[in-house]
Amino acid sequence: INGSIPTDFGFLTKLAELDLVNNSLTGSIPSEVGLLSSTEILHFGYNTLSGSIPKEIGLANGKKLTNLALEYNRLTGSIPSELSLQNALNYLNLGYNLLTGKIPTELGLLTRINSIMLGHNELSGTIPTQIGLLTNLVKKLYF
């Protein structure tokens, strides 16, 4: 499929998984994705999405998000610290984008996370020491 992610997807408040991987999606990720209060898996990888990662993903009311995969796109800007509010998150893949700035120290609050992939971006600074305190981080750590 091609085109952009419809903003109306925000009305799918009972949706458990939104997997739009490996398509030809363009445009930005709509902030309305943050309204998906029951969604556990958001996978928008392998598209040509651009713009920033909406902080609303981290602010979603349900706090049920376990997997967030936005790899292999053209996303820019910084990693929103609000992602740390998704305390059920156990898989985070933001690799192969154009993300800039520092890795938020708040990611150290993701106590259930077992995989973090942020490699192949334009991130700067050091790896926050808080990442070293994530005892469930056992599968993959990739910068």
Side-chain angles (χ1 to χ4, degrees):
I1 56 175
N2 57 21
S4 59
I5 299 171
T7 57
D8 290 348
F9 277 10
F11 295 119
L12 303 173
T13 56
K14 295 183 181 181
L15 187 68
E17 180 176 345
L18 182 54
D19 190 338
L20 300 173
V21 67
N22 205 18
N23 286 289
S24 298
L25 295 173
T26 58
S28 60
I29 299 170
S31 61
E32 288 82 359
V33 169
L35 298 173
L36 298 172
S37 56
S38 297
T39 303
E40 297 173 12
I41 298 171
L42 282 178
H43 194 177
F44 299 158
Y46 297 88
N47 284 288
T48 51
L49 296 169
S50 58
S52 59
I53 299 170
K55 67 180 180 183
E56 289 81 1
I57 291 175
L59 299 172
N61 292 329
K63 307 287 187 249
K64 295 181 179 180
L65 192 64
T66 60
N67 290 45
L68 178 61
L70 306 175
E71 74 279 12
Y72 287 95
N73 279 291
R74 295 180 184 159
L75 298 172
T76 57
S78 59
I79 298 170
S81 60
E82 290 84 357
L83 293 182
S84 66
L85 299 173
Q86 289 293 339
N87 55 12
L89 199 63
N90 63 43
Y91 180 87
L92 177 64
N93 190 346
L94 306 177
Y96 293 89
N97 279 290
L98 302 169
L99 298 172
T100 57
K102 295 182 178 185
I103 299 168
T105 58
E106 292 86 352
L107 292 185
L109 299 172
L110 295 171
T111 56
R112 295 184 184 172
I113 197 115
N114 61 42
S115 297
I116 298 177
M117 281 135 325
L118 305 176
H120 294 276
N121 279 292
E122 298 174 13
L123 298 169
S124 59
T126 59
I127 298 171
T129 56
Q130 293 83 346
I131 301 290
L133 303 174
L134 296 173
T135 56
N136 285 326
L137 192 58
V138 296
K139 289 191 178 180
K140 193 161 194 175
L141 179 62
Y142 180 61
F143 291 106

